[in-house]
């Protein structure tokens, strides 16, 4: 959807874009609400389920949400993720399925 502005499911051309999409959460004190932007997080410490991420967590990038106004089909798109580094031991993998190019013929 992001490159064509057309829904891949129904062909709709009215697309909602929510930049730096966040999770809406209720604070424990009162009824104040806030939206925390989703980000791509690499935990540099021990693996722990959320909440309780180690203070050494590194935030890389953000997430945009696209929604088709006709059918509701949705896509997440990452932005500013160029700082990611493969760390298989921490569950961060770069899968490169690019075919190797042979000599020019």
């Amino acid at each position: 959807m992001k490159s064509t502005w057309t829904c891949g499911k129904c062909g709709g051309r009215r697309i909602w874009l929510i930049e730096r999409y966040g999770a809406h959460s209720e604070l424990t004190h009162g009824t104040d609400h806030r939206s925390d932007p989703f980000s791509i997080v690499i935990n540099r410490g021990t693996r722990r389920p959320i909440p309780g991420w180690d203070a050494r967590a590194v935030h890389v990038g953000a997430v945009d949400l696209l929604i088709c106004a006709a059918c509701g089909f949705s896509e997440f798109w990452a932005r500013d993720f160029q700082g990611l580094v493969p760390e298989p031991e921490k569950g961060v993998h770069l899968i490169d399925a690019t075919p190797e190019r042979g000599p020019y013929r």
Side-chain angles (χ1 to χ4, degrees):
M1 274 194 290
K2 187 171 184 173
S3 60
T4 64
W5 297 108
T6 302
C7 176
K9 186 174 179 184
C10 77
R13 307 250 331 145
R14 294 183 62 225
I15 308 296
W16 287 102
L17 168 61
I18 295 97
E19 295 179 334
R20 299 188 183 279
Y21 177 71
H24 190 71
S25 60
E26 188 172 314
L27 298 175
T28 55
H29 304 291
T31 58
D32 293 337
H33 297 278
R34 64 181 171 154
S35 183
D36 296 320
F38 286 162
S39 59
I40 302 161
V41 179
I42 305 302
N43 190 3
R44 298 286 187 221
T46 59
R47 286 182 181 235
R48 297 185 208 176
I50 297 173
W53 279 78
D54 190 284
R56 293 172 285 184
V58 176
H59 295 259
V60 179
V63 175
D64 294 342
L65 172 62
L66 287 86
I67 306 167
C68 174
C71 74
F73 181 74
S74 304
E75 291 181 352
F76 284 114
W77 282 84
R79 65 160 67 191
D80 305 325
F81 57 88
Q82 291 74 15
L84 282 173
V85 177
E87 296 183 73
E89 66 283 357
K90 296 195 186 309
V92 180
H93 305 271
L94 174 61
I95 310 301
D96 187 351
T98 306
E100 292 187 30
R101 300 182 123 194
Y104 177 78
R105 296 180 195 239

